[in-house]
Amino acid sequence: QVQLQESGPGLVKPSETLSLTCAVSGYSISSGYYWGWIRQPPGKGLEWIGSIYHSGSTYYNPSLKSRVTISVDTSKNQFSLKLSSVTAADTAVYYCARLCGYDSSGRWIDYWGQGTLVTVSS
Amino acid sequence: SYELTQPLSVSVALGQTARITCGGNNIGSKNVHWYQQKPGQAPVLVIYRDSNRPSGIPERFSGSNSGNTATLTISRAQAGDEADYYCQVWDSSTAVFGGGTKLTVL
């Protein structure tokens, strides 16, 4: 059974960088699939952040691209998110996930982490 | 960028059929996926590629997609189906989500 677990600070100061890690168990990232990050502000809908392949190939939401970096560490079987210059608008539950499918026919999410709340506040 | 439109809320009587729509320009040409999210929990995939159910999802959940509208249908609605539902497509190498629909079972 594939399991994903987010970890990182629950409180980040404005203008600083938000950093989260997703530890994957039950499946080796090196074996394939894309891995991604999604966020959900309190009481609002889901927003796509970006995804990464084990080779390091990345895709980002254009609206966040200038502030986002997603990286992968296959030796630790985990991938990470960095979001710079955060503001209160970045306060959200952040989910990591595994993506199925192909670029040509569309991808979907088959496994989600439980999510972690990150609050941006001084 | 591609946009998906969902009704904010849908109500259904216990045991009846609920239909949740997801609108998008020529969405019928894309694969649509649906997620169920209960309060305080991560989303769960209930339909992928328009009409396929993952293992463990009841047959009461079905999907269709044509023209400018995709539809998630929940037959014989149960109290446990009360949740937020999100549609999703893949566009320009990114996931696009609908705004979500709150399903209330009366």
Side-chain angles (χ1 to χ4, degrees), chain A residues 38 40 44-48 51 59-62 95 99 102-103 105-110 112-115, chain B residues 30-31 33 35 37 40-45 48-49 84 86 88-90 92-99:
Chain A
I38 303 98
Q40 184 172 35
K44 296 187 177 181
L46 301 168
E47 180 180 28
W48 177 253
S51 62
Y59 295 113
Y60 298 136
N61 183 332
Y95 295 99
L99 285 79
Y102 302 92
D103 238 26
S105 59
R107 302 184 190 274
W108 67 93
I109 297 162
D110 62 346
W112 297 72
Q114 66 181 26
Chain B
K30 298 180 178 296
N31 286 316
H33 322 292
Y35 305 90
Q37 186 180 34
Q41 298 183 19
V44 172
L45 180 71
Y48 66 97
R49 286 193 298 186
D84 293 328
Y86 294 90
Q88 178 248 311
V89 299
W90 190 254
S92 300
S93 299
T94 63
V96 178
F97 292 97

Side-chain angles (χ1 to χ4, degrees), chain A residues 36-118:
Chain A
W37 289 96
I38 303 98
R39 70 180 182 179
Q40 184 172 35
K44 296 187 177 181
L46 301 168
E47 180 180 28
W48 177 253
I49 299 173
S51 62
I52 191 166
Y53 196 57
H54 66 80
S55 63
S57 174
T58 54
Y59 295 113
Y60 298 136
N61 183 332
S63 68
L64 298 170
K65 187 174 182 177
S66 64
R67 298 194 292 131
V68 172
T69 301
I70 297 176
S71 59
V72 64
D73 186 339
T74 55
S75 67
K76 294 182 178 179
N77 213 39
Q78 64 186 33
F79 58 104
S80 300
L81 168 70
K82 291 188 185 298
L83 180 65
S84 64
S85 305
V86 297
T87 69
D90 295 310
T91 294
V93 174
Y94 285 76
Y95 295 99
C96 60
R98 189 180 83 166
L99 285 79
C100 275
Y102 302 92
D103 238 26
S104 57
S105 59
R107 302 184 190 274
W108 67 93
I109 297 162
D110 62 346
Y111 289 99
W112 297 72
Q114 66 181 26
T116 186
L117 175 63
V118 179

Side-chain angles (χ1 to χ4, degrees), chain B residues 20-76:
Chain B
I20 299 172
T21 59
C22 177
N25 184 33
N26 197 26
I27 195 174
S29 67
K30 298 180 178 296
N31 286 316
V32 179
H33 322 292
W34 292 90
Y35 305 90
Q36 175 194 70
Q37 186 180 34
K38 296 182 179 180
Q41 298 183 19
V44 172
L45 180 71
V46 294
I47 293 289
Y48 66 97
R49 286 193 298 186
D50 296 342
S51 59
N52 295 276
R53 278 178 293 103
S55 173
I57 299 301
E59 292 183 6
R60 301 185 298 103
F61 288 81
S62 62
S64 62
N65 183 20
S66 179
N68 293 317
T69 305
T71 303
L72 172 68
T73 301
I74 306 171
S75 304
R76 303 182 299 283

